[in-house]
Amino acid sequence: MNPADLLVWLVLLPVLLAALLFVAPEGWRTRLGQLGTLLCASLALLLAWQVLQHGPISVALGNWQPPLGIRLHADGLSALMLALTALVALPLAAHAPAWFVRHEAAQSRAGAFFWPLWMFQWAALNLLFLAGDLFNAYVGLELSGLAAVALVALGGQRAALEAALRYLLLALFGSMLYLLGVALLYGAGGVLDLTLLGAQLEADHASRAALLLITLGLLIKTALLPFHFWLPAAHANAPAPVSAILSGLVVKASFVLLLRIWFEIFHPIGLGGAGEVLGALGIAAIIWGSLQAMRQERIKLLVAWSTVAQLGYLFLIFALAVELAWAGSVLHALSHGLAKAALFLAAGNIVLALGHDQIHRLHGAAGKLPLTFFTVALAGVSLMGLPPSGGFAAKWLMLQAAIDLGRWPYVVAIIGGSLLAAGYLFPLLRHALAGTHDPRQREGERLLSRWLEFPPLLLATLALLLGLMALLPMSLLSGGMPVSLR
Amino acid sequence: MSGVTLALDLLLGLSLVWLAWRTLASPTLFGAIVLFIAFGLLMALVWARLDAPDIALAEAAVGAGLTGVLLLAALADLQQGDNLLPVREPLRGWLLQLILALCALGLFTLLTLALLGLPSPPPSLAGQVLPRLDGAGASHPVTAVLLDFRAWDTLLEIAVLLLAVVAAWSLGSHPHPNPRIVGSEVLQGLVRVLLPFAVLSAGYLVWRGGFAPGGAFQAGTVLAAAGILLLLSGLGRPFNGRHWLWRALLASGLFIFTGVALGTLLLGGGALDYPAGLGYGLILAIELGLTLTIGLTFIALYAGEQDAAEERE
Amino acid sequence: MNTLLLAAALLLLLTILAGLWRVVRGPTAADRMLAAQLFGTSGVGTLLLLAEAWQQPALRDVALIFALLAVLALVAFVRLRHEGAE
Amino acid sequence: MNMALWFTLVGAALAAIALHAFFSRRHPLRRLIALNIMGSGIFLVLIGLARLYPGTLPDPVPHAMVLTGIVVAVSATAFGLVLLRRLARLGRGET
């Protein structure tokens, strides 16, 4: 296959699968979904391999070149994010069916609709990672937002539906701000292609207003503090496989778009202190998110607040705008994606096995679910940024950048953030390990099937291995570094 | 510019702003919906004024028609029995009010400064589109952009439409908004007369789309309107989502569109690069498929899915 | 001739606005419904006049759609309004 | 002032009013209406920009963008309303 065709397939195949999964009888959906996952994931990994071998790939759809036509573009950043999505999707395809079957008999409907909705989400994510056109990215944002809201609503409970409605309203509001910004950019530049726009934009009122609107819109979707308020309820009340998708992948898509827009369009024309503001908000998010996570009594809420904190790290790049920090930020997106997906799936398993997710009632739970709590600990290592995990490598790069630049507040925040993460993860493990466990309970039936326990373990292991293989993503990234950072 | 035109422009613009304000400040939800429908009508007139007949058509069908009916249906459902929704009090506290007012004012100032400072003459893609119309599958510029130059956007837009139905059905079946509907002979007579006209108009709009304003979306909305009228008058019945044929029909537009995209890709031309001479035919096929899908989609979003069991009750 | 058409369109627009005033003021749902019925007719009239005045034949199609969709809105008003919905 | 610029400013005013209403009115139905009006304002800015200067050719690209935007907006609104109805029925104890 022509490598450029891969880009088109990566969006169209999940779209087609979503439609097929909707039409297919409910009994067929799991098998078809798993088969489709295998296909889509192989394509994504193949594309990452191609980019690693031959450098960035572009394709103009319908053979109409920009500015008239729409371009898809796969560089190192896209390749890594596509690969991350594939690596999360594969274990998920094994875990989700088992989870939906076990969760509640009445939710067979949720299990049946999970597949088409997740395929739509996957298509939207791939599109956003590949988008070279601002308006096309808008359609991608809406596709992703609607699918995410519907996935949250699969929870079915009142709390899930309320969180979904709030998420929907804010996501739509964010898209509106983004679209308004795109309208102004079109008025100023007369093109929608990212690269072309970057080459010709000037620092005038319209482009500054557009930057502000687009940034605000995408911050709402990425849930950077102070726009994080919708996230904990939505991520914590969704079914566990959905939480893994939302926290691990969906918030990263709007972040990647923001990253491209800032460093490809706006950075060349100078931003003044705007990047500093985002960096400071990132620090605030690390602190506030961690403090809130420590106060939570339910595991899923703790994990959701931890996402608020960990997303803060991503935004340090806007203040530390150098190559090292860029690599660190992307590496953090990858390792957080894997570790957080693992953690949410493990949290879902705990709820299934124990029937509750109260942290203070976990006494001795680690004895019942050794593999699941091992997964929690392993994912925690990456979230805390301990060696040799991916989280460690990412934070190390950011730390080095901050020290090189002499930005001491950032040095303190990066190190402090790890301590804070330990502050909310250790109590969880302590409760689970504390107390002697009644050995009689280990007899009898297995609490969880291996389909439920191994996928999160695999994800957590990948997050750990990422630190040992950090050179691979780094070499992919060096090809697609934005001009403004070189 | 003549005085009358100037008066018309001023009146249209000012009444649009006034209407938006009254709509959003309306004390009752019913009033807000009625005003929103009127807002759609005025928007359609403004689109006409701005030489955007395609958008005027879409707005007349959607803003003034479909969205209003969807809102009314939702309101009818919300108002059955006690309320219901976790609605918090309107925002209280003068400080919050002040901050909010400043935000709105700030947005207006920001946009005004940006708009007044735009370059002249404005950069535009018109110079790119018009010379290429001969090679495109449609001679009407907007249709050519939608289904050829930027067909990728339109394909994904159709994905969004199907996603909306999948998402709505994933919430479970919801009954018809007004279960007490009984057949009224006057209404059914009216619908019987109107129906052929609606179908005819839809066909006319698709056919015109190739060379003049119109197209699948507008035509599909007219079809949807006809379908909703059937349901409202009690002549038609909602979908049975359990039957795979309905679901296949709902997805057919997306199947056709992705089929064309993947077909052109596999033939070696590149996705959505229509082979020479086939452009017009392929675009017409896509448009016809889309019209049917869009019509069914909006009916499905209005009526919801009905379980076979529920239907029997 | 053109000015005359535009003036007529302006007049129709004013009647729509007068109707809107009723929609805002109410007080009964019947007032609102009657006013809403007026938009349909006046809207079609305005569009037809503007089609002539601005030489935009496509506006006639808009008027056609408008006439069809106005029926839908009206039927929905009557059928979906719950008793006591205010 | 030319006509198109006037309507872009009207669009800006619509967006600002809708922003205010979106945060000050809490009923989800009103907030959906506010988002729709905000959308109309944004579309008006786009189309106004497309013919900001008389004598230039009208640019079909923003027209196509707005048509796509309208479809996306109505899909999202329709789904939002179904979600709202579902929530209301849950409140009444139905399933």
Side-chain angles (χ1 to χ4, degrees):
Chain A
M1 191 188 293
N2 182 356
D5 290 354
L6 273 176
L7 277 68
V8 181
W9 278 102
L10 272 170
V11 179
L12 284 187
L13 188 61
V15 164
L16 195 62
L17 281 167
L20 279 173
L21 283 162
F22 172 61
V23 176
E26 293 188 1
W28 298 7
R29 289 186 186 174
T30 301
R31 287 284 170 261
L32 187 59
Q34 286 172 332
L35 190 70
T37 304
L38 214 55
L39 271 173
C40 292
S42 334
L43 286 184
L45 296 174
L46 186 62
L47 180 76
W49 176 251
Q50 291 282 351
V51 173
L52 187 66
Q53 294 293 306
H54 308 294
I57 305 170
S58 262
V59 59
L61 291 153
N63 283 342
W64 299 107
Q65 296 299 327
L68 183 59
I70 296 171
R71 190 175 52 100
L72 293 181
H73 183 70
D75 56 9
L77 176 59
S78 334
L80 285 173
M81 297 309 293
L82 291 168
L84 168 70
T85 312
L87 289 179
V88 173
L90 284 170
L92 200 71
H95 181 273
W99 193 87
F100 277 111
V101 166
R102 274 287 305 270
H103 187 53
E104 243 179 76
Q107 294 212 341
S108 64
R109 182 177 200 95
F113 276 92
F114 169 78
W115 281 108
L117 291 172
W118 158 228
M119 279 296 160
F120 273 123
Q121 182 64 259
W122 197 349
L125 292 174
N126 285 355
L127 175 67
L128 285 168
F129 296 141
L130 293 169
D133 181 283
L134 285 176
F135 186 73
N136 197 230
Y138 163 75
V139 184
L141 281 174
E142 292 288 41
L143 196 63
S144 161
L146 278 184
V149 171
L151 283 166
V152 171
L154 285 185
Q157 306 299 315
R158 188 176 180 83
L161 292 183
E162 280 176 15
L165 185 60
R166 190 143 85 129
Y167 185 14
L168 175 74
L169 290 169
L170 281 162
L172 288 177
F173 181 71
S175 318
M176 284 293 141
L177 292 184
Y178 174 84
L179 187 61
L180 192 50
V182 172
L184 289 181
L185 281 184
Y186 187 76
V191 292
L192 293 162
D193 187 82
L194 265 160
T195 314
L196 291 178
L197 206 52
Q200 66 186 72
L201 206 66
E202 287 166 31
D204 52 12
H205 275 310
S207 55
R208 279 200 207 96
L211 171 70
L212 181 67
L213 292 167
I214 287 177
T215 307
L216 280 177
L218 292 176
L219 287 188
I220 292 175
K221 287 177 174 287
T222 315
L224 176 67
L225 189 108
F227 305 109
H228 64 286
F229 44 87
W230 59 267
L231 185 143
H235 287 198
N237 287 308
V242 170
S243 312
I245 293 167
L246 296 181
S247 256
L249 305 171
V250 173
V251 282
K252 309 291 187 337
S254 43
F255 171 74
V256 166
L257 188 59
L258 188 65
L259 212 54
R260 286 196 194 286
I261 290 176
W262 268 62
F263 289 102
E264 283 178 29
I265 301 184
F266 290 108
H267 206 267
I269 63 176
L271 295 163
E276 298 297 323
V277 176
L278 287 188
L281 287 177
I283 294 183
I286 295 173
I287 297 171
W288 180 249
S290 306
L291 291 178
Q292 286 295 319
M294 287 180 205
R295 293 184 47 215
Q296 299 306 315
E297 288 176 355
R298 288 179 47 206
I299 299 177
K300 287 190 78 180
L301 272 171
L302 181 152
V303 181
W305 274 105
S306 147
T307 297
V308 173
Q310 298 285 324
L311 287 174
Y313 282 102
L314 294 178
F315 286 87
L316 303 184
I317 169 70
F318 294 103
L320 313 170
V322 291
E323 215 175 312
L324 272 178
W326 167 273
S329 182
V330 175
L331 209 53
H332 181 72
L334 299 179
S335 82
H336 176 252
L338 294 167
K340 192 46 67 73
L343 205 51
F344 259 126
L345 293 186
N349 289 347
I350 295 171
V351 179
L352 273 191
L354 305 181
H356 70 85
D357 71 342
Q358 304 286 324
I359 293 167
H360 67 270
R361 284 169 59 198
L362 282 181
H363 279 280
K368 282 186 219 167
L369 305 165
L371 214 51
T372 291
F373 278 95
F374 180 60
T375 306
V376 171
L378 217 54
V381 165
S382 201
L383 288 181
M384 287 183 271
L386 298 180
S389 66
F392 169 73
K395 280 164 196 168
W396 182 255
L397 288 169
M398 287 192 242
L399 199 61
Q400 222 175 339
I403 292 172
D404 287 350
L405 293 168
R407 305 294 299 272
W408 301 111
Y410 288 89
V411 175
V412 175
I414 294 166
I415 297 174
S418 290
L419 293 176
L420 287 169
Y424 59 77
L425 287 168
F426 277 136
L428 176 65
L429 290 172
R430 202 188 61 230
H431 277 293
L433 291 167
T436 46
H437 167 66
D438 183 357
R440 275 170 303 175
Q441 284 185 7
R442 286 190 88 163
E443 293 164 13
E445 232 180 331
R446 277 181 73 88
L447 280 168
L448 295 170
S449 75
R450 67 178 77 91
W451 291 113
L452 285 168
E453 290 207 294
F454 281 101
L457 181 64
L458 181 66
L459 283 167
T461 313
L462 283 173
L464 201 72
L465 287 180
L466 186 65
L468 300 174
M469 309 191 312
L471 283 179
L472 187 70
M474 298 277 283
S475 62
L476 254 173
L477 270 182
S478 60
M481 197 70 65
V483 186
S484 52
L485 287 184
R486 275 185 215 147
Chain B
M1 195 189 285
S2 78
V4 188
T5 311
L6 186 67
L8 203 64
D9 285 346
L10 283 177
L11 190 65
L12 271 177
L14 289 176
S15 44
L16 210 52
V17 174
W18 175 75
L19 202 51
W21 170 57
R22 291 309 314 178
T23 303
L24 295 169
S26 164
T28 66
L29 285 171
F30 181 69
I33 295 171
V34 175
L35 286 169
F36 180 70
I37 293 172
F39 178 84
L41 160 63
L42 276 190
M43 279 303 295
L45 292 179
V46 172
W47 296 130
R49 177 72 184 104
L50 286 168
D51 286 340
D54 297 87
I55 306 176
L57 278 168
E59 185 81 46
V62 172
L66 195 67
T67 310
V69 174
L70 291 173
L71 285 166
L72 282 170
L75 185 66
D77 208 19
L78 294 191
Q79 283 175 335
Q80 287 178 14
D82 318 317
N83 214 326
L84 18 173
L85 279 179
V87 180
R88 280 176 290 163
E89 286 293 294
L91 207 56
R92 299 251 183 258
W94 64 270
L95 189 63
L96 279 174
Q97 289 284 2
L98 184 72
I99 293 174
L100 202 52
L102 283 177
C103 281
L105 200 66
L107 180 67
F108 182 67
T109 319
L110 187 78
L111 289 175
T112 307
L113 284 177
L115 290 170
L116 292 177
L118 283 177
S120 70
S124 135
L125 288 176
Q128 294 268 339
V129 174
L130 303 175
R132 288 180 176 77
L133 280 181
D134 280 341
S139 59
H140 178 52
V142 177
T143 307
V145 173
L146 274 175
L147 290 171
D148 200 339
F149 305 134
R150 293 183 67 90
W152 183 250
D153 274 345
T154 311
L155 194 163
L156 291 163
E157 161 204 318
I158 299 306
V160 173
L161 263 174
L162 180 62
L163 169 59
V165 177
V166 178
W169 284 13
S170 76
L171 296 172
S173 56
H174 60 262
H176 196 267
N178 193 344
R180 290 168 302 124
I181 282 184
V182 281
S184 139
E185 276 184 21
V186 178
L187 185 56
Q188 294 190 342
L190 173 75
V191 172
R192 284 204 180 92
V193 174
L194 268 178
L195 212 61
F197 280 107
V199 176
L200 192 65
S201 313
Y204 165 75
L205 282 170
V206 187
W207 167 71
R208 269 185 70 92
F211 52 89
F217 177 60
Q218 293 91 339
T221 316
V222 172
L223 274 189
I228 295 175
L229 272 175
L230 274 179
L231 293 178
L232 277 171
S233 64
L235 281 173
R237 322 207 55 178
F239 291 108
N240 174 7
R242 302 261 163 202
H243 203 298
W244 68 273
L245 205 60
W246 279 120
R247 298 199 301 265
L249 277 175
L250 280 166
S252 59
L254 193 57
F255 281 136
I256 295 175
F257 218 144
T258 37
V260 169
L262 292 176
T264 44
L265 191 66
L266 291 172
L267 288 175
L272 296 169
D273 185 6
Y274 308 124
L278 284 181
Y280 180 77
L282 281 176
I283 285 185
L284 197 67
I286 293 176
E287 289 245 46
L288 284 171
L290 292 192
T291 306
L292 184 66
T293 311
I294 290 169
L296 287 176
T297 301
F298 287 135
I299 298 172
L301 284 171
Y302 162 80
E305 179 203 12
Q306 298 266 300
D307 278 345
E310 234 169 291
E311 218 174 71
R312 261 182 263 117
E313 280 170 22
Chain C
M1 187 59 196
N2 217 340
T3 315
L4 193 68
L5 289 173
L6 282 176
L10 193 65
L11 197 69
L12 278 180
L13 195 58
L14 284 171
T15 64
I16 294 177
L17 289 177
L20 286 180
W21 180 244
R22 258 303 126 203
V23 175
V24 172
R25 288 290 305 276
T28 69
D31 294 321
R32 298 213 163 103
M33 259 184 310
L34 275 179
Q37 205 171 13
L38 186 71
F39 320 145
T41 345
S42 314
V44 171
T46 315
L47 282 165
L48 289 175
L49 286 167
L50 292 180
E52 287 305 310
W54 293 333
Q55 293 301 309
Q56 281 201 23
L59 293 191
R60 289 192 203 113
D61 295 347
V62 183
L64 172 75
I65 300 271
F66 206 81
L68 280 170
L69 271 287
V71 176
L72 175 63
L74 201 68
V75 173
F77 271 135
V78 179
R79 304 240 71 170
L80 293 178
R81 220 184 59 73
H82 192 253
E83 310 312 312
E86 259 313 297
Chain D
M1 182 157 72
N2 82 49
M3 175 270 290
L5 186 59
W6 159 244
F7 281 113
T8 55
L9 293 182
V10 168
L14 292 183
I17 293 172
L19 173 93
H20 186 273
F22 181 77
F23 286 105
S24 70
R25 306 303 299 258
R26 308 312 298 244
H27 197 291
L29 203 68
R30 287 183 195 278
R31 300 182 90 184
L32 277 173
I33 295 179
L35 285 171
N36 272 288
I37 289 183
M38 193 166 183
S40 295
I42 295 169
F43 299 152
L44 211 47
V45 169
L46 256 172
I47 297 301
L49 288 176
R51 49 162 300 169
L52 206 46
Y53 292 84
T56 54
L57 294 165
D59 182 353
V61 174
H63 290 228
M65 283 159 67
V66 169
L67 283 173
T68 304
I70 289 178
V71 180
V72 169
V74 70
S75 310
T77 307
F79 170 56
L81 290 173
V82 175
L83 188 55
L84 198 60
R85 287 160 75 173
R86 178 82 199 151
L87 203 50
R89 286 204 296 138
L90 214 58
R92 289 199 293 271
E94 302 167 39
T95 49

